[in-house]
Each structure stands twice: as structure tokens, then as C-alpha cells.
């Protein structure tokens, strides 16, 4: 199922502030441990449960029961959600698959964070990379450093040290 793309001349919804990103996980306890280590934060909500027919319908499901935890970053919440009923099948995610998403964490010193993460046993999808003027638009984004990795369920994650044209929006 997909939604039609509204005509911007006919409607302006105005969604301009993100509250959180929700990530479906197979094992809430494992994912909480991973994101705790990744962020250095404790969840503000941990091992809560939601269920009920009305809630299920809001999700497009006939029934649901889930456990969740929430991490609060400075600018965004991360909800980790384990569906107990109905349990889902793992997604086939990859950077180039439509519908796949990634969550990006901004860092000051990418090489230092990358080395610290590797020393902690995290595997990256490839080596850290720095954008060059020949490969990126706008050209002033050259020098931006990125590295990509996955969480335990395969969710695409990124660390970025922005430069120039990729500076944080106001």
C-alpha cells in the first residue's frame, strides 16, 4: 500500500518537527543494551507494554501487543518496539531498498568515534568515507565524513561529521 503524493499547491501539511523515530526490534532487551552502549544514555521509558483493539487498528493491525523502550537524545527520541502479537518477520533492509531508512548520529570527531566503536566490537558496512568535491552536491559539503553500520536487527545507522553544505539546520 502506498499513499498518493499530494499536490503541494493544493495542500501544505506543514510537518516540520520530528518527535521520534520508531524502530521495530526482535528482542527489546538486546536492543536496549545496544542503544544504551551506543548513546551512553539510559532509556527514559523501559519495558512498557501497549495492547488493545483500538491501538491495533491505529497501526493497521487486527490485534497487537508490544513492549517498548524510549531513548531521548538531545533532539530526537528513539522508540524501540518489540511486537509480541503479531510478531513480524525481519525486514530485508539495505541502503538501496525502497522503504528502508537510516538513522544518523552527528559526531564531532568521526575518526575517533569510528575507532572507539570498532574497538568495542561494532562492525561497519565499509570503511569511513570523506565526501569529495567531485562526488557530492553541493560542493561545499566536501569534507563531510560518514560511516555506516547496522543495529542487531539490521537497521541502517550512520555516524556523520558534517562540513560545509551539510551543516546542521537551524
Amino acid at each position: 500500500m502506498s499513499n498518493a503524493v499530494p499536490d503541494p499547491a493544493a495542500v501544505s501539511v506543514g510537518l516540520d518537527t520530528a518527535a521520534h523515530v520508531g524502530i521495530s526490534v526482535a528482542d527489546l532487551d538486546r536492543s536496549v543494551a545496544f542503544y544504551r552502549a551506543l548513546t551512553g544514555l539510559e532509556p527514559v521509558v523501559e519495558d512498557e507494554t501497549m495492547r488493545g483493539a483500538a491501538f491495533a487498528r491505529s497501526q493497521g493491525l487486527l490485534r497487537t501487543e508490544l513492549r517498548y523502550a524510549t531513548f531521548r537524545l538531545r533532539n530526537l527520541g528513539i522508540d524501540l518496539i518489540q511486537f509480541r502479537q503479531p510478531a513480524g518477520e525481519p525486514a530485508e533492509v539495505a541502503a538501496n531498498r525502497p522503504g528502508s531508512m537510516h538513522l544518523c548520529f552527528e559526531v564531532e570527531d568521526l575518526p575517533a568515534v569510528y575507532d572507539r566503536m570498532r574497538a568495542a566490537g561494532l562492525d561497519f558496512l565499509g570503511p569511513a568515507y570523506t565526501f569529495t568535491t567531485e562526488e557530492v552536491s553541493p560542493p561545499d559539503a566536501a569534507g563531510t565524513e560518514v560511516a555506516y553500520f547496522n543495529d542487531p536487527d539490521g537497521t541502517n545507522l550512520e555516524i556523520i561529521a558534517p562540513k560545509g553544505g551539510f551543516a546542521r539546520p537551524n
Side-chain angles (χ1 to χ4, degrees):
M1 180 167 99
S2 69
N3 285 324
V5 177
D7 176 2
V11 62
S12 175
V13 177
L15 303 179
D16 66 356
T17 303
H20 68 269
V21 60
I23 301 173
S24 291
V25 302
D27 180 332
L28 183 65
D29 300 320
R30 176 185 69 181
S31 293
V32 165
F34 177 85
Y35 282 89
R36 182 181 282 131
L38 191 65
T39 64
L41 300 171
E42 291 297 319
V44 295
V45 172
E46 186 172 1
D47 200 15
E48 296 292 324
T49 303
M50 293 183 74
R51 66 177 66 83
F55 176 66
R57 284 191 301 276
S58 77
Q59 300 268 320
L61 301 168
L62 296 176
R63 68 186 191 299
T64 193
E65 180 182 333
L66 58 87
R67 293 174 61 213
Y68 71 96
T70 299
F71 284 85
R72 176 66 54 201
L73 306 181
R74 282 185 277 168
N75 61 340
L76 183 73
I78 300 172
D79 287 352
L80 303 174
I81 307 161
Q82 177 185 351
F83 280 84
R84 289 179 163 167
Q85 293 294 325
E89 294 295 319
E92 293 183 35
V93 297
N96 65 336
R97 293 185 65 96
S100 290
M101 54 78 66
H102 75 270
L103 175 59
C104 182
F105 296 91
E106 187 173 325
V107 300
E108 294 286 323
D109 184 344
L110 190 129
V113 172
Y114 180 86
D115 290 345
R116 210 166 54 245
M117 290 172 71
R118 287 187 49 121
L122 289 166
D123 292 324
F124 283 83
L125 300 176
Y129 177 75
T130 303
F131 294 133
T132 66
T133 55
E134 296 81 28
E135 298 172 323
V136 69
S137 178
D140 63 348
T144 294
E145 301 165 298
V146 296
Y148 300 91
F149 60 105
N150 294 131
D151 77 2
D153 291 296
T155 301
N156 297 310
L157 302 174
E158 173 186 4
I159 54 175
I160 187 169
K163 304 286 189 282
F166 282 161
R168 175 185 287 148
N170 296 333

